[in-house]
Every structure is written in structure tokens, then in C-alpha cells.
Amino acid sequence: MKKIAAELGVSAMTVSRALNNHDNVDENTKKTIVETAKKMGYTPNRVAKSLVSSRTYTIGVVIPEISHAFFAQVVSGIENVTYEKDYQLLLTNSAEKFERENKALETLLAQQVDGILVSCSEETTDFSLLKRIIDTGKPLVFFDRCVEGIGASTVSVDDRNGSYNMTQHMIDHGYKTFAYLSGPQISTGKERLEGFRNALKDNKLDIKEEWIVESGFQEKGGYEAMKKILELPGDKMPRAVLAVNDPAAIGAIEAIEEFGYSIPDDIAITGFSDDIRARLLKCPLTTVYQPSVSIGRKAAEKLIKVIENKDEPAENIDLLTDLVIRQSCGCNK
Amino acid sequence: MKKIAAELGVSAMTVSRALNNHDNVDENTKKTIVETAKKMGYTPNRVAKSLVSSRTYTIGVVIPEISHAFFAQVVSGIENVTYEKDYQLLLTNSAEKFERENKALETLLAQQVDGILVSCSEETTDFSLLKRIIDTGKPLVFFDRCVEGIGASTVSVDDRNGSYNMTQHMIDHGYKTFAYLSGPQISTGKERLEGFRNALKDNKLDIKEEWIVESGFQEKGGYEAMKKILELPGDKMPRAVLAVNDPAAIGAIEAIEEFGYSIPDDIAITGFSDDIRARLLKCPLTTVYQPSVSIGRKAAEKLIKVIENKDEPAENIDLLTDLVIRQSCGCNK
DNA sequence: TAATGATATTTTAACGATAACATTATAATA
DNA sequence: TATTATAATGTTATCGTTAAAATATCATTA
């Protein structure tokens, strides 16, 4: 900018005004300045601008695992909105680790992001840093793995309800003995397990605690948890398995097949999230559809509202889930 | 920082030195300053620091489509490295559009990123902006969809070779008539098609141009391209189909099944990239494995080398592909 | 006791952009 | 012609941090 000013013998201020289309700049001067800027290959320095305005137009995102299809889709939804509203996206990965999540948050703050979108890691049970950030007034919105009641808005699906409906669906089709592959006991995982328990309770069915095994959110955990169940002593086996999400279900399917059982005839199984793989499986997976892109969009939209209007109230936004009945539950013959 | 300085009656400079562990600060002073900083909840302002140092420790990434499994994995590889080396990741999405790609690049420059990682959009044939950026000396590395020979390093797999090997594999198993679902004629797409053509030529097999149809990189395009082939007048049909990538192959499979043909007995098909879905398909897809995470890692590593040493030479890095033989090619009975 | 050296701290200026205020030039009015 | 309004441009100070230069403090030595 100074160079342009020097080149044309005007002040930097005039250049600034011309390039930002402010009032009271002579049309000719403006034209010359704009042309010279183009000719000299001027690129505005947002860092400097940010320092003055204390606005970076940047949103920080903390994701538990980028390469997971679900989160990739959420990010894509977030990006849709930030693109529309001219914000930038600073992406960080907690790799499901509490420590890394905290470090990521600190970094985002240091970067002076205008707001933060967080989905908690599997390990996160201590919300003190999150709470502190919210208390300072820094706009923050949770998505998917949310912490409710600490002052920030949340965007997720009604996990308990989705899980309840899926369980009810199975019960309606005559299944009586269930195993459950549970996630870690944070928001989403907890809610889904509760939905499962409630459905069984409401139908006066027994809950066999041995068959509720923590698998976590990933294939490997699902595989191992399922194996553990199949290896339990005694010859009783659950007739149906509900998994906390599709990756866990996909892992479990591998274990079930390894043991020589057939899906859904020996063991029926269902997932949660409608992963892109679900419909393509050899035995297509019955699952609960979660509007991943919408979750991202809603979360980003809410965050930007909070950023642009500090009085925007906090709210818990629940999107609707849908049962996607395919073959793995054995219900649609 | 000023507040801390005022609080303790020292100068801001001393605070800066203390917090950055510089020389010549009294141990006691340092300790008090560090404590007070913690107590007052001080977060460094990287925006200000960047303005002084003209380094943001931020890397910009331009991705054609975030929600695609392949790119999500690449991003995950990139993030591994940026995390290790303490850089931040600014993510942008070109949505396969040339215009958006250019806008993204401009924005990243304005954000003063230390370097840029780009994978070109399907539409990109005009490299002038990219070249201009490279010519200004801004570190830039291409990955996957690269532009060679304009001064920037590139990281991808040897697409031509991978495609050639796959074609040769099919020929070796007796297939003689091939259709090809091609990507757009940019780097990756072009190279793969050439590998296909070369293999046929080297084996003195005819290339039927009608059966080379542009599908693009996505499921829908694959579906439509395949349909077009199957609807061609005359009763000859290709015995095997090679797709430019797995999403296109997955789309094509849908079309093939819709027409009532069986895979691989009526029509064999192969993909490229080893999508997470490939092994789970009803008829598991034979494909070419691309080390997606490594591509991300290598690209990020190279970029950081260029950032930290302007004399780092440009190079074209080709990672190795591997044939993954499953059932869809009908070769392993 | 003054000079020297080492350590600790402060002052100043700068990074690039801009808000707020100040100035100049020009035209319109009294 | 003097006065005032208006448009166009300039000056200064600032955002938070830090490099570089300047100054202060104190112990050591000649």
C-alpha cells in the first residue's frame, strides 16, 4: 500500500480508501489507484487488518478425526456456510485425545479466531477449558459430540430418540435378546445407550449387562467388542446387535463373519449414522440416518450468528434422524 | 501483555522476553511474569506476532471436494505433519470449480499463509494464477492433481504406471474388449487414460473410442457414463470396464446391475484409489491402491521444507501404487 | 574511585492497515 | 472580497508484539 502511495504521490490513507471503496475519493484518483494496485500485484494483508479490527473472519474447528466419513461430511457442511459468509476455516484435529483437543483450543484462541466449532474427543470428560472459553465470551458452538448446559449452543441429532426408535423397530420385529456395542460415555455415546436401555425397559425386556460392551467409535473397537461377546462362555448368544455407530457395526460384522455366523439369520445387526459404506455392504446395513452435512451447516450458521450478534441466545438444536431399514436387521423380508 | 507489564511495573518488552524465554531476564522477574500471565489468563496474539515476523505458521490447502474419502485421508496426512511441525491448517474447498479455486488462492494469499498445498479442480486448465503465485516465490506444492513444469513440486502417484499395470493385469487374464470411464483431461485423469491406452497399444489390442467415455471423478458421472456405454446401439459390449477412480466405478456398478448384468461374469470392472468402500462391496472391487495419507504427509513435508529453506529444489515425487486384486475383475477364481 | 564489564531493563520504532481527526483546495454563498 | 460549506487528501495514533538500540544497575578490577 505504501508502495502504491509512493508510486502515485498520494498518502497511504487515500490508497486504503480507494481500494475499500470509501466515500470522498476522487473518481480519477480511485481509478488510478485501483489500476496501479492491480498492476503491482497488490494483495491486501489481512493480518494487519485483523490487528486493527480485532476480527479475523476465521472460524476454528476441532474435529475428533478428519478422515472419518461422517466428520468429513460435517466439515463439508461447515465449509459451505463459511464460504457463503466469507469466513475462513482453520481446521484442527484432536485425534480423539483430550490433550490434543486442549492444545488445539489454545492454538485457535492464539490465532484470534472469531469463533470455535467443537466436537469433543472420545476422552473428554473435563470441560473446564471449554467452560472457561465460553465464559470469556468467545463464541463457541458444539456439534455432534456436545456438552450441554455450559452456556454454548449445541447442534446434533436426537441420539437418544434415534437409538430408541431403532431398538423399538427391532423389538417390533420380534427380537428379544440384544447386545449393545457402546461408544465412550460422552454425550452422543451416552445418549444412544440410554435410548437403547429405555426401549428395552419400556418393553419390559431384560438387559443383559454382559452384552453391553464398550467398542468406541471405530471399526477396530467394534471388531474386538463383538469378538468378546461371541467368546463369552455359555452357549447363549444375542439374537441382535445394536452398534453405537456404523464403523463399529462394520467392525462387528467382520467378527461375526469370522465366527461363521450369517447376518441377519444368525445375528441381526444395526448401526448409526448411515456411513457411505452402509448401503454397499454385502448385507446392506440397517442404520439411523444422521444429516451430517446439515449438522455442519447449522452449527456454522449458529456460530456466525453468535459472532455477529453477541446477544444471540444459546440453544440446543436437535436435527431429526431417520431409520434406514436395509437387510442387516432381517426385518424386511 | 501491557496489562501484565502495568500490573508488575515493568515494561512490555520485559514481559515479552520473559514469556518467550529470552536471555537476560532475571529469574525472579521471569517467574513472576509467567505466573501473572497464567493468572490473568493471557493468550498470545499470533496476529500481532505474525505482523512483526511476516510468518503466520499457517498453511493453506485447496481441496477439490472435502467430503471425498480420498481427500479426507489426504487432509488427515497433511494434518499429521502440520501438527508435528506446529503449523496451522487453513482449509478451502474449490468444489471442483475453477473460479472458486482462484478465489480460494487469493484468500489464502491475503491471509498471509506461509505456503499453499493445491490439488486442482476438475475444471482447471488455466494455470496462470498458479504460475504467478509460484513466480512470486510463495511456497506452493501440488498434490494428487498436479501441474508439472511450472516450478512447483508435485506429490502424487505414478498414475500412468498404475493404470498401465491394471490394464495389463486384465489383458493377462484374457480380457480383450475394454471400456474406459475417464476423468477430466487434467493431470491425474489424463495420465490414467494414457496408461490404459499404452497398455492396449503395447499388446496390440484395438482401442474402441466409443467406449472411452468421460465420467468425471464422481459416482453420478460413473453411473451415467456406464449407462451411455450400455445403451450404445449394436449388441457388442465391452467385456471389461476400467474406471478412472473408485467412485466412478461404484456409480458404474450401479448402472451395470440396473441393466441386469452380473459382475464379473458379464462385465468385469476395476477402479482406482482403493476407496474405503471398495473392499466392502457386494462384489469387492479390484482397484489400484493409492497411499492417500502418505500423499498428504509427503506434500506437507515438502512444503514445509520449501518454507523453511527457500533453496529447497522443486521435485516431482511419485509414490508407488499397488494393484489390489479382489473379485470384480474376475481374475482370482 | 573511576573505569570496565556483565546483566537487566526500558525506549523507540516498526510490521500494514485504518479510524479519527486535521488540513487543504475548490466552489458556492453572502 | 470575505466567509462558509464541501470534497479530497493528509497526519497521527493505534492494534499487540518484538528487534534493535539505549539506558540503568551492580559487581569487579585496576
Side-chain angles (χ1 to χ4, degrees):
Chain A
M1 234 176 207
K2 273 188 199 155
K3 276 188 202 155
I4 299 174
E7 177 83 14
L8 299 175
V10 297
S11 75
M13 197 58 231
T14 304
V15 176
S16 169
R17 275 200 282 258
L19 294 176
N20 292 287
N21 240 326
H22 277 219
D23 285 350
N24 295 335
V25 184
D26 184 85
E27 276 307 322
N28 287 326
T29 320
K30 190 187 287 183
K31 211 191 300 171
T32 331
I33 289 176
V34 171
E35 276 167 13
T36 318
K38 196 165 290 171
K39 197 165 49 195
M40 295 176 69
Y42 168 76
T43 315
N45 184 324
R46 290 224 195 161
V47 170
K49 193 166 177 174
S50 293
L51 190 59
V52 175
S53 63
S54 26
R55 297 275 275 112
T56 55
Y57 286 89
T58 297
I59 285 176
V61 183
V62 186
I63 291 276
E65 194 55 68
I66 311 169
S67 58
H68 276 24
F70 173 74
F71 285 116
Q73 281 156 5
V74 175
V75 170
S76 155
I78 294 172
E79 199 276 341
N80 289 344
V81 176
T82 55
Y83 176 74
E84 284 163 16
K85 306 249 170 161
D86 256 313
Y87 280 75
Q88 294 314 117
L89 208 57
L90 209 46
L91 190 75
T92 63
N93 174 18
S94 66
E96 301 282 13
K97 297 269 174 294
F98 178 65
E99 278 309 322
R100 280 191 63 170
E101 181 173 294
N102 277 0
K103 203 192 145 196
L105 289 167
E106 299 281 9
T107 313
L108 293 177
L109 291 177
Q111 294 276 359
Q112 311 295 118
V113 295
D114 290 345
I116 303 181
L117 293 170
V118 192
S119 191
C120 293
S121 88
E122 261 182 42
E123 294 180 358
T124 307
T125 52
D126 170 1
F127 309 134
S128 53
L129 176 59
L130 288 163
K131 185 148 182 6
R132 213 174 324 136
I133 293 173
I134 296 164
D135 289 346
T136 64
K138 176 65 69 177
L140 187 150
V141 170
F142 290 101
F143 65 94
D144 188 50
R145 314 232 195 111
C146 306
V147 182
E148 290 191 3
I150 59 171
S153 289
T154 64
V155 178
S156 64
V157 297
D158 188 338
D159 289 288
R160 195 186 317 184
N161 188 255
S163 183
Y164 186 99
N165 290 345
M166 177 58 87
T167 313
Q168 187 63 53
H169 163 82
M170 298 299 276
I171 295 172
D172 289 345
H173 282 77
Y175 291 104
K176 294 210 159 50
T177 58
F178 294 94
Y180 190 87
L181 308 181
S182 85
Q185 287 315 294
I186 59 160
S187 62
T188 298
K190 204 163 89 187
E191 292 287 320
R192 291 184 195 168
L193 178 53
E194 260 172 46
F196 168 73
R197 284 185 186 281
N198 290 347
L200 288 194
K201 227 175 287 169
D202 291 353
N203 287 276
K204 307 211 173 13
L205 287 172
D206 280 346
I207 295 174
K208 185 155 176 180
E209 294 296 335
E210 278 184 293
W211 285 347
I212 299 184
V213 179
E214 181 152 337
S215 62
F217 286 134
Q218 323 215 15
E219 287 82 351
K220 194 155 163 271
Y223 174 81
E224 278 156 12
M226 192 67 229
K227 221 167 144 180
K228 214 178 286 175
I229 293 174
L230 293 172
E231 283 168 348
L232 280 177
D235 45 27
K236 266 186 285 179
M237 253 180 21
R239 181 64 187 83
V241 180
L242 306 194
V244 66
N245 69 2
D246 285 2
I250 288 171
I253 288 173
E254 211 165 309
I256 293 174
E257 290 176 341
E258 227 174 270
F259 274 73
Y261 296 116
S262 130
I263 298 172
D265 298 328
D266 298 327
I267 298 182
I269 184 165
T270 68
F272 202 115
S273 68
D274 200 17
D275 191 293
I276 33 166
R277 292 167 288 181
R279 54 182 275 267
L280 298 167
L281 294 178
K282 200 161 50 200
C283 177
L285 184 65
T286 289
T287 187
V288 180
Y289 168 74
Q290 269 183 297
S292 47
V293 176
S294 300
I295 291 176
R297 286 199 63 99
K298 289 272 179 206
E301 280 164 4
K302 181 69 187 181
L303 181 66
I304 291 175
K305 273 191 207 150
V306 178
I307 290 171
E308 295 182 350
N309 168 23
K310 293 277 174 189
D311 294 331
E312 177 75 18
E315 54 182 334
N316 298 323
I317 301 174
D318 271 342
L319 302 183
L320 291 179
T321 57
D322 259 322
L323 295 192
V324 183
I325 309 301
R326 300 203 177 93
Q327 276 77 56
S328 72
C329 60
C331 300
N332 57 0
K333 302 186 181 175
Chain B
M1 233 177 207
K2 275 188 198 155
K3 278 187 202 155
I4 298 174
E7 177 83 15
L8 298 176
V10 297
S11 73
M13 196 59 231
T14 305
V15 177
S16 170
R17 273 207 284 272
L19 294 176
N20 291 287
N21 240 323
H22 277 219
D23 287 349
N24 295 335
V25 184
D26 185 85
E27 277 307 321
N28 288 326
T29 319
K30 190 188 287 184
K31 210 192 298 173
T32 332
I33 289 176
V34 171
E35 276 166 12
T36 317
K38 196 166 290 171
K39 197 165 51 196
M40 296 176 69
Y42 168 76
T43 315
N45 184 324
R46 289 226 195 160
V47 170
K49 191 166 177 173
S50 293
L51 189 58
V52 174
S53 63
S54 25
R55 298 275 274 110
T56 55
Y57 285 90
T58 297
I59 284 177
V61 183
V62 186
I63 291 276
E65 194 54 69
I66 312 168
S67 59
H68 276 25
F70 172 74
F71 286 115
Q73 282 157 4
V74 175
V75 170
S76 156
I78 294 172
E79 198 276 341
N80 289 345
V81 175
T82 54
Y83 176 74
E84 285 163 16
K85 306 248 171 164
D86 257 314
Y87 279 77
Q88 294 313 118
L89 208 57
L90 209 47
L91 190 74
T92 63
N93 174 17
S94 65
E96 302 282 14
K97 297 268 175 294
F98 178 65
E99 278 309 323
R100 281 192 63 170
E101 182 173 292
N102 276 1
K103 201 191 146 196
L105 289 168
E106 299 280 9
T107 313
L108 293 178
L109 290 177
Q111 294 276 359
Q112 312 295 118
V113 295
D114 290 346
I116 303 180
L117 292 170
V118 192
S119 193
C120 293
S121 87
E122 261 183 42
E123 292 179 0
T124 307
T125 51
D126 170 0
F127 308 135
S128 54
L129 176 59
L130 288 163
K131 186 151 182 4
R132 212 175 323 134
I133 293 173
I134 296 164
D135 289 345
T136 65
K138 176 65 70 178
L140 187 150
V141 170
F142 290 101
F143 64 94
D144 189 51
R145 312 229 197 116
C146 306
V147 182
E148 291 191 5
I150 60 170
S153 290
T154 65
V155 178
S156 64
V157 297
D158 188 337
D159 288 288
R160 195 187 315 185
N161 189 255
S163 184
Y164 185 101
N165 291 345
M166 178 57 87
T167 313
Q168 187 65 52
H169 164 81
M170 298 299 276
I171 295 172
D172 289 345
H173 283 76
Y175 291 104
K176 293 208 159 53
T177 58
F178 294 95
Y180 190 86
L181 308 180
S182 84
Q185 288 315 295
I186 58 160
S187 62
T188 299
K190 204 162 91 187
E191 293 286 321
R192 292 184 194 168
L193 178 53
E194 260 172 46
F196 168 73
R197 284 183 186 280
N198 290 347
L200 289 195
K201 227 174 287 167
D202 291 354
N203 287 276
K204 307 213 171 18
L205 287 172
D206 280 346
I207 296 174
K208 186 155 173 179
E209 294 297 335
E210 277 184 293
W211 285 348
I212 299 183
V213 179
E214 182 152 335
S215 62
F217 287 134
Q218 323 214 17
E219 288 82 350
K220 193 154 163 271
Y223 173 81
E224 278 157 12
M226 192 68 229
K227 218 165 146 182
K228 213 177 287 176
I229 292 175
L230 293 171
E231 281 169 348
L232 280 177
D235 42 26
K236 266 186 285 177
M237 252 179 23
R239 181 63 186 85
V241 180
L242 305 195
V244 66
N245 69 1
D246 283 3
I250 289 172
I253 288 173
E254 211 165 307
I256 293 173
E257 289 176 340
E258 226 174 271
F259 274 73
Y261 296 117
S262 131
I263 298 172
D265 298 328
D266 298 327
I267 298 182
I269 185 165
T270 67
F272 202 114
S273 68
D274 201 16
D275 192 293
I276 33 166
R277 291 167 288 181
R279 55 180 275 268
L280 298 167
L281 294 179
K282 200 161 51 201
C283 177
L285 184 65
T286 289
T287 186
V288 180
Y289 169 74
Q290 269 183 297
S292 47
V293 176
S294 300
I295 290 176
R297 285 200 64 99
K298 289 272 179 207
E301 280 164 5
K302 181 69 188 182
L303 181 65
I304 291 176
K305 273 191 206 151
V306 178
I307 290 171
E308 295 181 349
N309 168 22
K310 292 277 174 188
D311 295 331
E312 177 77 18
E315 55 182 333
N316 298 321
I317 301 174
D318 271 341
L319 302 183
L320 291 180
T321 57
D322 259 323
L323 295 192
V324 183
I325 308 301
R326 300 203 178 94
Q327 276 76 55
S328 73
C329 61
C331 300
N332 58 358
K333 302 187 180 173

